[in-house]
Amino acid sequence: MVTLKQLAKELNVSISTVSKALNNSEEIGVETVKRVKELAALYNYKPNKVALSLKQNKTKTIGVIIPDVLNHFLAKVLFGIEREATEQGYNIITCISNESLEKEISSLQLLANGSVDGFILAVAKETQVKNETAHFVKTISQGLPIVMFDRVANDVLCDKVIVDDFEATYHATKKLIVENRRHIAFISNIDDLSVGKLREKGFLKAINEESKVKGSVLKINRLDDGQQKISEFLKGNRSIDGIISADNSSGIIAINTALSFGLKVPKDLSVIGYTSKSMSNHCIPRLTTIRQHAKDIGACAAQLLIKRLQNKSLNDVDYSTKIIKTSLIHGGSTLS
Amino acid sequence: MVTLKQLAKELNVSISTVSKALNNSEEIGVETVKRVKELAALYNYKPNKVALSLKQNKTKTIGVIIPDVLNHFLAKVLFGIEREATEQGYNIITCISNESLEKEISSLQLLANGSVDGFILAVAKETQVKNETAHFVKTISQGLPIVMFDRVANDVLCDKVIVDDFEATYHATKKLIVENRRHIAFISNIDDLSVGKLREKGFLKAINEESKVKGSVLKINRLDDGQQKISEFLKGNRSIDGIISADNSSGIIAINTALSFGLKVPKDLSVIGYTSKSMSNHCIPRLTTIRQHAKDIGACAAQLLIKRLQNKSLNDVDYSTKIIKTSLIHGGSTLS
DNA sequence: TTGAAAGCGCTAACAC
DNA sequence: GTGTTAGCGCTTTCAA
């Protein structure tokens, strides 16, 4: 990499002249500017990012801590973050907490040494289960803002971007009720996450509002064999005629299982899930889906963080929680 | 963030004394070391990463350029890279090329300003189609090593990690032939990728070795409706009794479609795909799958790069290409 | 045993 | 219009 020093030497001018010329300073003569720029272009000069970061005490880099990149939703949020960040001239350093509190803490600490200007993260499962928040508070108090998305720690004061999980699941359940379904099951393998709990609550509210509708809940451990669990469940509850799936796989498995029993979808059984677009065609008919607009969530989180980074005057009072509305996409596994 | 300067001031010693004490230099008296370390611990001192990078002219950061994080395979490789990198004390800056040559070039340029010590990447689709390699060569000549995985540019001299796509697809096809399948279809929506082509070649080789076996190929554009395409294809080719899917969805869709036609799997139709574990249960029976060990690919790529970064004596002669062997996982969609 | 000083690459206030 | 200088936070050589 060429440095200002080398350019200066070759041009027989001082380093600061070169610097100013490249930064279009008014002070420098047009002729000099031209000479400098030509040589810089020739050598493909680019200002050293590290030196700039040191000088300006900001890295233009965001630390992103994702619990699990194999989760399609989270990967899509990452995609949204990356795009927005890149557009605004920020890089992202990605850490994968693997749902572990310890890894989450170490990632936070590791990057809180000047590597990044702030964080975007979804809280790890273990962290939510143990309800641990000290590491977040500490990071923020060190001057590194955090934006949480999807899985948030309610007690921590910071910007947040969430989905209307409760509302969306409530309305999805209502929709099945309107379709005249009388025994609706809620299937979830994310019972331990805040979003999983919210979705269940939304479901239960809708069920409890209707005396003639029966509700059942099936919780699946992630280590369980989903196909087998769902198969047993449906066999043991023959009256089920509607299903809400809280995670991105159970709805698909439920449809395929029901079909293998000879049931007709959506005639005998109506299903709605939180599956992503690319998976929603893994059953015939396609799954009717609650879209979370993951990309928008990522973009929104990035915007919130960058805004805060660039506007020092924002103070603790200004923390905002953005709710990204879901949409219901009809896929054929429901009547309409 | 506390700096050496602040510690020095408070302790009434010089900056260099503090630095040496914290780095366990023999020069400094035990008593001083103790005092320094205590205060550093109290203030939770951490050496500023940016300053270290500037001083040592290396960032301990790897640039990772992924064509698409929503691709489960690529996401899993990213996971493998992240884990190995973290273990070895490296951070990763992730860029998503979105299969675009332009974004790939700009990501490379953007990080080649001192932000990273080297790159791990899979070549974008557009780059492969246009057979563009100049940007890779330029980056390497600037002293930033590249490790390519999965989708590689053969002409570029660098370390590579690939899968035995040709072999694996050849053997999978052979397996169907041994099962006495007589009309085997190859379905792919990744025809434009190097790996897609290799898989097709492996398929064709196996087919061409057997005169009594008929082969058909269905190429799906990513914008097409996969369900519809596959449905039409199977309807138009009733004799098909075996399917090899090159991508991670077509195999699942094919099974579900066949079942909806009333066919029995695997009795009437045998299917093998490249699907990932989490998706392989999106059909009943489960899809027999060629596992690519994506995590291992990522780990291997990271190891290769870090080894090169730490061993300046490695020269161009030493470039290696690692082949990660696939495994065939029986899932019920084949007879054995 | 400790400290002063140089330097990594850059910017900017201040001289000339 | 151009150059000198200091300083961002750190390591390291050399001097005391």
Side-chain angles (χ1 to χ4, degrees):
Chain A
M1 279 193 38
V2 203
T3 64
L4 288 184
K5 202 180 187 176
Q6 290 161 39
L7 293 179
K9 192 174 169 193
E10 191 147 340
L11 290 163
N12 265 319
V13 294
S14 77
I15 294 177
S16 56
T17 302
V18 179
S19 172
K20 285 172 189 164
L22 291 174
N23 289 309
N24 297 312
S25 163
E26 302 285 308
E27 302 177 21
I28 307 296
V30 274
E31 182 56 32
T32 314
V33 169
K34 187 157 165 281
R35 280 177 62 221
V36 170
K37 287 201 169 173
E38 279 174 4
L39 196 70
L42 177 65
Y43 284 152
N44 191 25
Y45 168 81
K46 292 204 220 72
N48 183 302
K49 180 83 182 306
V50 176
L52 277 181
S53 298
L54 182 62
K55 179 79 186 163
Q56 304 177 339
N57 197 27
K58 55 185 176 185
T59 59
K60 295 271 259 173
T61 302
I62 297 171
V64 179
I65 305 176
I66 296 277
D68 177 13
V69 255
L70 302 184
N71 176 316
H72 197 272
F73 167 71
L74 294 175
K76 203 158 182 175
V77 176
L78 178 64
F79 179 53
I81 295 172
E82 196 271 350
R83 200 162 62 176
E84 184 67 26
T86 301
E87 227 158 70
Q88 301 216 32
Y90 281 75
N91 286 322
I92 62 172
I93 290 190
T94 311
C95 290
I96 297 161
S97 69
N98 224 347
E99 306 288 9
S100 143
L101 170 59
E102 194 191 350
K103 179 80 196 294
E104 189 175 85
I105 293 176
S106 71
S107 300
L108 232 31
Q109 287 188 340
L110 218 64
L111 296 182
N113 60 357
S115 296
V116 302
D117 297 339
F119 291 96
I120 296 175
L121 59 86
V123 178
K125 184 164 123 183
E126 192 190 350
T127 311
Q128 287 209 321
V129 171
K130 295 189 175 165
N131 202 18
E132 199 68 55
T133 59
H135 53 307
F136 299 134
V137 175
K138 188 174 163 193
T139 303
I140 294 170
S141 75
Q142 287 177 355
L144 290 167
I146 293 180
V147 176
M148 297 184 180
F149 69 88
D150 193 50
R151 310 188 202 158
V152 303
N154 286 320
D155 304 343
V156 179
L157 277 176
C158 64
D159 291 314
K160 287 160 193 159
V161 183
I162 56 177
V163 157
D164 58 335
D165 290 288
F166 179 87
E167 291 282 315
T169 319
Y170 171 79
H171 286 120
T173 311
K174 276 287 188 195
K175 184 179 173 63
L176 295 190
I177 292 170
V178 169
E179 276 191 4
N180 250 317
R181 308 299 170 174
R182 286 297 168 260
H183 184 182
I184 304 177
F186 177 83
I187 305 182
S188 169
N189 68 20
I190 54 170
D191 176 49
D192 34 19
L193 299 182
S194 55
V195 295
K197 293 197 208 325
L198 280 174
R199 289 172 191 177
E200 184 178 357
K201 278 184 192 153
F203 166 78
L204 291 175
K205 179 172 183 228
I207 293 293
N208 291 334
E209 284 176 5
E210 305 281 337
S211 57
K212 2 176 241 313
V213 177
K214 181 179 173 191
S216 297
V217 173
L218 171 64
K219 291 178 181 172
I220 302 174
N221 195 303
R222 264 180 250 207
L223 299 174
D224 291 345
D225 177 340
Q227 276 195 10
Q228 195 191 328
K229 279 274 176 181
I230 290 173
S231 173
E232 285 167 5
F233 179 71
L234 293 182
K235 269 183 198 155
N237 295 273
R238 290 287 181 176
S239 61
I240 287 175
D241 53 6
I243 291 177
I244 302 286
S245 153
D247 60 82
N248 57 17
S249 252
S250 299
I252 291 167
I253 298 175
I255 289 180
N256 287 330
T257 304
L259 291 173
S260 77
F261 289 174
L263 293 174
K264 303 289 180 206
V265 176
K267 190 172 150 288
D268 304 327
L269 179 72
S270 225
V271 185
I272 299 178
Y274 272 90
T275 306
S276 60
K277 191 165 159 190
S278 64
M279 282 183 180
S280 64
N281 62 357
H282 285 178
C283 51
I284 301 170
R286 283 192 179 80
L287 184 64
T288 293
T289 306
I290 299 170
R291 273 303 139 66
Q292 299 179 83
H293 307 296
K295 251 181 295 184
D296 299 339
I297 294 176
C300 181
Q303 280 160 6
L304 280 178
L305 183 63
I306 292 172
K307 192 170 151 199
R308 188 164 291 279
L309 291 176
Q310 295 180 340
N311 192 342
K312 298 289 171 200
S313 66
L314 281 180
N315 57 42
D316 303 5
V317 188
D318 304 317
Y319 288 129
S320 63
T321 294
K322 301 268 185 199
I323 298 176
I324 307 290
K325 283 268 174 210
T326 54
S327 330
L328 194 70
I329 307 294
H330 176 67
S333 68
T334 49
L335 294 178
S336 63
Chain B
M1 280 194 37
V2 203
T3 64
L4 288 184
K5 201 180 187 176
Q6 290 162 37
L7 293 179
K9 192 174 170 192
E10 191 148 337
L11 288 163
N12 264 319
V13 294
S14 75
I15 294 177
S16 50
T17 302
V18 179
S19 171
K20 286 172 188 165
L22 290 174
N23 289 307
N24 297 312
S25 163
E26 303 285 309
E27 301 176 19
I28 308 296
V30 272
E31 182 55 33
T32 313
V33 169
K34 187 158 165 280
R35 281 176 60 220
V36 170
K37 287 201 169 174
E38 278 173 5
L39 196 71
L42 177 66
Y43 284 153
N44 191 25
Y45 168 80
K46 292 204 220 74
N48 182 302
K49 181 80 182 305
V50 176
L52 277 180
S53 298
L54 183 61
K55 181 77 186 161
Q56 304 176 341
N57 197 27
K58 55 185 177 186
T59 58
K60 294 271 257 172
T61 302
I62 297 171
V64 179
I65 305 177
I66 296 275
D68 176 13
V69 256
L70 302 183
N71 176 316
H72 197 273
F73 167 72
L74 293 175
K76 202 157 183 177
V77 175
L78 178 64
F79 179 52
I81 295 172
E82 196 271 351
R83 198 161 66 176
E84 183 67 26
T86 302
E87 226 158 71
Q88 302 215 32
Y90 280 75
N91 286 322
I92 62 171
I93 290 189
T94 310
C95 292
I96 297 161
S97 68
N98 223 348
E99 306 288 11
S100 141
L101 169 59
E102 194 192 351
K103 178 83 196 291
E104 189 175 86
I105 293 176
S106 71
S107 300
L108 231 31
Q109 286 188 341
L110 219 65
L111 297 182
N113 60 357
S115 295
V116 302
D117 296 340
F119 291 95
I120 296 176
L121 59 87
V123 178
K125 182 164 121 184
E126 192 190 349
T127 310
Q128 288 208 321
V129 171
K130 295 188 176 166
N131 202 20
E132 199 68 54
T133 59
H135 53 307
F136 299 134
V137 175
K138 187 175 164 192
T139 304
I140 294 170
S141 74
Q142 286 176 355
L144 290 167
I146 294 180
V147 176
M148 297 184 180
F149 69 87
D150 193 49
R151 309 188 202 158
V152 302
N154 285 320
D155 305 342
V156 178
L157 278 176
C158 65
D159 290 316
K160 287 160 193 158
V161 184
I162 55 177
V163 157
D164 58 335
D165 290 289
F166 179 87
E167 291 283 315
T169 319
Y170 172 79
H171 286 121
T173 311
K174 277 287 187 195
K175 185 181 172 62
L176 295 190
I177 292 171
V178 169
E179 275 191 5
N180 249 317
R181 307 299 169 175
R182 286 299 169 258
H183 184 181
I184 304 177
F186 177 83
I187 305 182
S188 168
N189 68 20
I190 54 168
D191 175 49
D192 34 20
L193 298 182
S194 55
V195 295
K197 293 197 206 328
L198 279 174
R199 289 171 191 176
E200 185 179 355
K201 278 186 191 154
F203 166 77
L204 291 176
K205 178 172 183 228
I207 293 294
N208 291 333
E209 283 176 6
E210 306 279 335
S211 56
K212 357 178 244 314
V213 177
K214 182 179 171 190
S216 298
V217 172
L218 171 64
K219 292 178 180 173
I220 302 174
N221 194 303
R222 264 179 249 206
L223 299 174
D224 290 345
D225 177 340
Q227 276 194 11
Q228 194 192 329
K229 279 274 177 182
I230 290 173
S231 172
E232 284 168 6
F233 179 71
L234 292 182
K235 269 183 199 153
N237 295 273
R238 291 286 181 177
S239 61
I240 288 175
D241 53 6
I243 291 177
I244 302 287
S245 153
D247 60 83
N248 58 16
S249 252
S250 300
I252 291 166
I253 297 175
I255 290 180
N256 287 330
T257 303
L259 292 173
S260 78
F261 289 174
L263 294 173
K264 303 289 180 207
V265 176
K267 188 172 151 289
D268 304 326
L269 180 72
S270 225
V271 185
I272 299 178
Y274 271 91
T275 306
S276 60
K277 192 165 159 190
S278 63
M279 282 184 180
S280 64
N281 63 356
H282 284 177
C283 51
I284 302 169
R286 282 191 179 80
L287 184 64
T288 294
T289 305
I290 300 171
R291 277 297 142 68
Q292 300 179 83
H293 306 296
K295 249 181 296 184
D296 299 338
I297 294 175
C300 181
Q303 280 160 6
L304 280 178
L305 182 64
I306 292 172
K307 193 170 150 199
R308 187 165 293 276
L309 291 176
Q310 295 179 342
N311 192 342
K312 298 289 172 201
S313 67
L314 281 180
N315 56 43
D316 303 5
V317 189
D318 304 317
Y319 287 129
S320 65
T321 294
K322 301 268 185 200
I323 297 175
I324 308 290
K325 283 267 173 209
T326 53
S327 331
L328 193 70
I329 308 293
H330 176 66
S333 69
T334 50
L335 294 177
S336 64

